[in-house]
Amino acid sequence: MNKIFSFSLILLTALAVVSCDKDDDNADALGWNDGKRLVKSVYYNADGAEMRTVERTYGANLECATTYKDGTPVEKTELRKSDNASSEQIYAWQSGNWEMTRERIEKKDSQGRILSVEVVEGNPGNRSSLTWYTYSGDSTIVVISIDGKPESKLVSVKRGGTTEVIHYLYAGDYQWKEIDYHKSVITYVSGNSTKPLSWVTYNREGNEISRYDYEWDGENYKEYRTGFGVKRLYGDFVVDGNTKTRILYDTDNLDDADVSTPYEKIVTKEMDLTIEEYTYRYSDGWVLRQKKVDYYEKK
């Protein structure tokens, strides 16, 4: 639920052909979770026609996801991980070759905290972006530099369930100008930090700018959003055996006191080695928009 700040700028396009070799015998290969890992996802439209397929292969430090449409490769993502670094490269299939369109390199310290992130994307002749993370206790300082010149800074201070975030722009001559401040306060069900009761965000003056409240019934919960003094149902999550249902409601116009209107429903059915996900949109009733089937393999 934390707000995420991201910054990237275009630098280059690199041409590369990289194979994704499978290495099932290596116990340290990526992708394993509770003894199984995802190997293929197939997406269908409302009529049951296949739209695209994503196939995944793995190596000791490599996870590769290749997207196909009508049997033709269109995009590939490669993720590599080590103890103190990880990288992600995204390629597009162009004229029979894989052309790199984006690269993200992340470095960490011995405690697993991020030290730096470098993002490169786009066409030749543009600039790179470099994000540096430094730490002091529960504080995080993120400085974004372009071609070695500071551009902006994000300072985050966390104390228990309270997080303060300040966003600055570089004003020159080693000076920073504050452009945004917010403080988020999260409370939880007693003794359970995975079940929030409320998430409230305040501005510099202490005024509430957003609020979410949660009502729990076992693993089921309702999520409410408050704005302009109006509390509206925002989400409804229900677990029934191996089926999970998430219904989202339209709360864009919180000054309108009408009852919340449902707009999306996601139903997930989990089997042993497959997960089916159905996405519906509301239009005088629920209308199927997409079906996805994930296929897994066991160790």
Side-chain angles (χ1 to χ4, degrees):
M1 291 184 294
N2 293 328
K3 292 188 177 181
I4 301 174
F5 176 80
S6 63
F7 191 97
S8 65
L9 207 61
I10 295 174
L11 172 61
L12 58 82
T13 296
L15 189 65
V17 177
V18 184
S19 62
C20 294
D21 295 326
K22 194 170 183 179
D23 187 6
D24 294 326
D25 296 330
N26 194 308
D28 296 325
L30 298 180
W32 293 113
N33 184 18
D34 293 331
K36 61 182 182 180
R37 63 183 176 187
L38 182 63
V39 292
K40 183 168 71 171
S41 299
V42 184
Y43 296 78
Y44 303 89
N45 63 19
D47 296 325
E50 183 177 317
M51 297 187 296
R52 66 185 184 278
T53 299
V54 180
E55 295 184 354
R56 296 177 183 272
T57 55
Y58 301 89
N61 294 300
L62 170 66
E63 178 178 337
C64 180
T66 306
T67 300
Y68 297 87
K69 289 184 178 180
D70 298 324
T72 302
V74 293
E75 185 178 89
K76 178 174 66 174
T77 300
E78 294 184 349
L79 175 65
R80 291 174 173 81
K81 287 186 177 181
S82 63
D83 291 339
N84 297 318
S86 65
S87 67
E88 181 187 64
Q89 293 85 28
I90 299 177
Y91 300 86
W93 185 252
Q94 300 287 347
S95 302
N97 290 294
W98 286 114
E99 181 178 343
M100 186 188 294
T101 59
R102 187 176 189 271
E103 181 176 42
R104 184 180 188 272
I105 300 174
E106 182 179 291
K107 296 180 181 179
K108 300 180 180 180
D109 63 14
S110 58
Q111 299 181 49
R113 301 178 303 188
I114 297 174
L115 291 174
S116 67
V117 177
E118 184 176 6
V119 179
V120 175
E121 60 182 329
N123 298 313
N126 294 312
R127 299 177 297 172
S128 64
S129 63
L130 191 62
T131 307
W132 294 95
Y133 293 69
T134 58
Y135 301 83
S136 176
D138 287 333
S139 301
T140 304
I141 302 174
V142 183
V143 178
I144 296 91
S145 300
I146 306 299
D147 285 345
K149 299 178 181 179
E151 292 282 332
S152 61
K153 176 172 67 174
L154 206 66
V155 178
S156 175
V157 181
K158 185 176 182 180
R159 302 181 183 91
T162 300
T163 303
E164 294 181 85
V165 178
I166 310 172
H167 187 194
Y168 300 88
L169 284 182
Y170 187 64
D173 196 25
Y174 304 102
Q175 301 297 312
W176 296 93
K177 178 182 178 181
E178 180 180 322
I179 61 171
D180 182 60
Y181 169 93
H182 65 265
K183 179 173 71 174
S184 296
V185 181
I186 304 175
T187 59
Y188 297 92
V189 173
S190 179
N192 193 332
S193 60
T194 65
K195 292 185 175 182
L197 285 175
S198 67
W199 173 35
V200 187
T201 304
Y202 304 89
N203 61 16
R204 172 66 78 181
E205 289 72 31
N207 299 319
E208 184 177 299
I209 56 177
S210 70
R211 181 183 185 94
Y212 293 86
D213 294 282
Y214 303 83
E215 293 180 358
W216 289 87
D217 179 13
E219 294 304 311
N220 304 333
Y221 67 88
K222 294 182 183 295
E223 184 177 7
Y224 295 88
R225 181 184 175 193
T226 300
F228 303 101
V230 179
K231 182 178 179 180
R232 300 269 292 276
L233 182 63
Y234 178 70
D236 196 354
F237 184 81
V238 178
V239 178
D240 183 10
N242 68 340
T243 302
K244 299 178 181 179
T245 302
R246 168 77 164 168
I247 300 177
L248 298 177
Y249 295 81
D250 182 10
T251 57
D252 287 341
N253 298 311
L254 284 170
D255 55 340
D256 183 353
D258 291 341
V259 178
S260 298
T261 302
Y263 76 90
E264 185 176 75
K265 179 171 69 172
I266 300 175
V267 179
T268 304
K269 298 180 180 180
E270 299 186 14
M271 280 71 78
D272 183 27
L273 291 177
T274 59
I275 296 179
E276 297 179 354
E277 181 183 276
Y278 300 83
T279 301
Y280 301 83
R281 289 295 173 89
Y282 192 84
S283 178
D284 295 327
W286 291 111
V287 178
L288 180 65
R289 296 293 299 274
Q290 176 181 282
K291 173 186 174 181
K292 182 181 75 161
V293 182
D294 289 335
Y295 298 89
Y296 291 81
E297 64 179 358
K298 287 185 177 180
K299 273 192 175 182

